Structures are given as structure tokens and as C-alpha cells.
Amino acid sequence: MSVSSEQLMEELRTLCRGRGVQTPGIDLHVGPALRQVCGIVETDGAEAVRTKLRDWVTNAARTFPVEVRNAVLAPLGLHDEAQFRFLNERIEWLAKQQDRGARTVRRRMEAGLQRLVEVALQPGPSAAYVTPSEFWHVKEFDALLKLDGPTPACTERRTVVADTDGVSEIAWSITIPSPTPDGAPGDVDIEVLHGVELIGHERPSPRRFLMKLRLPRPLNAGQTHQFALEVKVPRGQSMRPTYVFWPERMCESFRLRVRFDRDALPESVWRVEEALARDTDDLTPWPQTLPLDEIGEIDVSFPHPRQGRGYGVQWTPRG
């Protein structure tokens, strides 16, 4: 089947409606053009379809200007800060982020969708379906969140595996919740501890930070490499009582340790697992509470966390 630009554009516009890619039963709402472009087969269930759509869109849009990329991700329901029920709400959110009117944002959305069509239909290997996991994936992600110092700090160690030859750069991202539900977005201080060189960074939205990291040498398929970063909340800035990891690509294992201040232990701590977007916003306790050990720490592991779901811990501060 040959894919026409008009058909693919219309299917992308349709996909933006409602919850976008997050629509329940998404496998019943994807047209034949998108199925071919994204490599979706008849046996794929809703979550597999959602993953293939997300991977294709994010990979195709990775070189777009930030404002165009966000004007694609948000309408399609792929921006983690714009998980609203209706397209109009996502457009309004994007208009505020870009300080533009809704009509301007809709024009950018159309331009971004047209760029996706052009990427899909260009000749050569770049038109083929390629997921980010075909370049590299995370074998182990180990995070240590320290809350007993002058300011919250998290040491994040990742072991990555190349899924193709010649992997020399990787992208790393972090989303920082506002200190309070209605508060302004916070800042972070990021330091490379070892294993990579920071060669680029951007802030596509007030809460999201993207980093481009260079490896010391290119990796061939199957080779692994470990690197570590430390993320600190600036002095004087509070931190919401939550640490949740949202995998953006395949991750084989996630381990989180939290060391609380023994002079300010929380009232309760609970495990967050398989959370959907916005499930963790209101800090309502989940059923699985976690006991602190005798030195005020918790240690949780999540084998094979799924892309697009949230994993971690939240807590209620005492007092």
C-alpha cells in the first residue's frame, strides 16, 4: 500500500482529537496510513500501538525546532505536561507556554504535522519506522535521592546498551514538579559526575529539561556504558514530596533509594507503580505503604518499567 500525504495528514489531525494517543482503545482509532508508517500490525494491542505511535512521532520530530516539536507532541497527547482530556485544553496550555494566541498555536500544529508527513514520505532509510530503542536503551537506572543535606540532591546512574553500531550521543531528560500544585516551575542544578560530556541543553517547557550527552567513545551494538549525573534543587527552593520515573524508552530495571532526614521523617511513604499521566499530581496516598528502615531509608525496585507509566515513591511530610 502506498501512503498519500493527504491521507496521512488527515489521520494525524484525527489522532489529535480527544485524548490523542492516550485515548483508550487507540488500536481501534488508527488509520491504515499511520499503521503502515509506524509499523503497526494486526496483532498489536492498544499499548503496543500507543508505543509505536509515540516512538515514531518523537523520533521523527527530534530535529524540529522546539516550538514546532512541542506543537506536535502536545496536540497528540505526547507531552507529559499537557495530558488534558480535550485538544482545546492542550492548545490553550501550549499557547500559555509559548506566549502566543491559540490561532498561532494551531498554525504551528498544522506546520508540525505537515513536517511529520514529510519525514514519513521522504525516500530512503529515514522514512522507515525506527524506534529510539533501536539506537540504545537503558539496562539499569539507579537513583539515590538524598533529603538529609542542605538541599535535596539525587545521584542518577544509568547503564545504557547500544542497539546499533556507532552510538556516540544520548539524550537525557528530567521533569521537575512545581514545589506546590499551583506554584511556579522550579529550577535544578545538574552536574556530570562521570562517563559523559554535556554538549547541549534546552528547556522546551517550564518544567522539562533536555540534555545532550556525548559518550567517551562510540558504542557498537551490544556494548554497554555507565554514566552518572547529580541533580540538586537550588538552595532555598522547596521540593514536592515525590520522585517518579517516567520511562521514555525501554528500561530493563529501575531502582530507587531515598534517604530521609532523620530529624524530619515523613508521616507516610508509598510506592507508585504503573501510574498513568496525572495520577500522581494530587499526592493522594497509594495503597502500598513503605516502611522506613532503622536509618531512615527506603529501597524499591521496578523490573522492566513500561514506557509512558510512572514508577517511584511519594510521601507525606510530618506536620
Side-chain angles (χ1 to χ4, degrees):
M1 168 189 167
S2 61
V3 176
S4 72
S5 59
E6 294 81 6
Q7 182 181 11
L8 183 56
M9 186 68 176
E10 185 56 35
E11 290 184 14
L12 285 168
R13 290 191 185 110
T14 300
L15 191 61
C16 289
R17 298 170 186 164
R19 293 186 181 274
V21 172
Q22 309 303 332
T23 299
I26 188 65
D27 52 318
L28 303 177
H29 300 279
V30 178
L34 271 172
R35 285 180 173 273
Q36 179 166 335
V37 167
C38 297
I40 297 169
V41 297
E42 291 185 3
T43 55
D44 285 336
E47 194 60 33
V49 169
R50 188 173 292 111
T51 296
K52 288 185 176 181
L53 286 167
R54 178 177 58 244
D55 287 348
W56 177 74
V57 171
T58 54
N59 183 56
R62 71 187 188 281
T63 60
F64 293 2
V66 173
E67 68 275 5
V68 177
R69 183 165 66 247
N70 287 339
V72 168
L73 298 180
L76 285 169
L78 292 172
H79 198 296
D80 58 4
E81 296 180 42
Q83 295 297 309
F84 303 107
R85 183 177 179 182
F86 299 112
L87 174 60
N88 282 343
E89 294 177 290
R90 297 194 292 276
I91 292 293
E92 290 173 4
W93 175 87
L94 195 56
K96 291 180 181 178
Q97 300 301 311
Q98 298 187 352
D99 194 23
R100 293 291 186 271
R103 293 179 63 182
T104 298
V105 169
R106 285 187 177 274
R107 286 196 296 270
R108 286 181 176 175
M109 181 188 80
E110 285 288 305
L113 296 181
Q114 186 60 50
R115 287 282 300 274
L116 286 181
V117 172
E118 292 169 0
V119 171
L121 300 185
Q122 66 180 335
S126 57
Y129 169 69
V130 180
T131 69
S133 62
E134 289 174 346
F135 300 116
W136 61 275
H137 71 273
V138 179
K139 181 177 179 63
E140 296 176 346
F141 174 27
D142 192 328
L144 170 61
L145 177 61
K146 296 161 286 188
L147 301 174
D148 58 347
T151 187
C154 187
T155 301
E156 299 190 347
R157 287 186 171 84
R158 286 172 170 83
T159 301
V160 298
V161 183
D163 295 320
T164 189
D165 291 343
V167 176
S168 59
E169 296 178 2
I170 60 176
W172 174 82
S173 67
I174 184 171
T175 299
I176 303 296
S178 299
T180 61
D182 301 320
D187 288 311
V188 291
D189 297 325
I190 300 171
E191 177 186 0
V192 173
L193 298 181
H194 69 80
V196 291
E197 178 186 9
L198 177 62
I199 59 173
H201 61 88
E202 60 184 72
R203 192 170 183 173
S205 70
R207 293 170 52 193
R208 185 170 174 79
F209 299 79
L210 295 177
M211 311 291 161
K212 182 182 289 187
L213 306 172
R214 180 162 58 200
L215 303 179
R217 66 192 63 83
L219 300 179
N220 289 328
Q223 292 183 322
T224 63
H225 181 74
Q226 185 184 87
F227 67 93
L229 303 162
E230 185 163 71
V231 182
K232 290 184 179 180
V233 174
R235 285 177 179 263
Q237 178 179 300
S238 61
M239 173 185 171
R240 289 198 83 199
T242 179
Y243 186 102
V244 177
F245 169 49
W246 302 86
E248 296 181 344
R249 62 181 63 238
M250 188 177 84
C251 178
E252 297 182 32
S253 173
F254 169 47
R255 180 186 182 188
L256 170 63
R257 287 166 289 177
V258 182
R259 188 169 72 220
F260 291 94
D261 185 344
R262 296 182 68 178
D263 293 327
L265 295 177
E267 288 186 6
S268 63
V269 184
W270 58 92
R271 179 185 178 101
V272 174
E273 187 167 7
E274 292 280 321
L276 296 172
R278 310 194 77 84
D279 279 353
T280 59
D281 285 357
D282 60 3
L283 298 175
T284 300
W286 285 46
Q288 189 172 352
T289 57
L290 300 171
L292 275 65
D293 63 21
E294 294 183 1
I295 59 173
E297 296 184 0
I298 59 97
D299 188 338
V300 290
S301 295
F302 303 90
H304 303 289
R306 297 167 59 189
Q307 296 178 47
R309 300 296 178 96
Y311 303 82
V313 300
Q314 295 183 312
W315 59 95
T316 301
R318 191 171 298 278

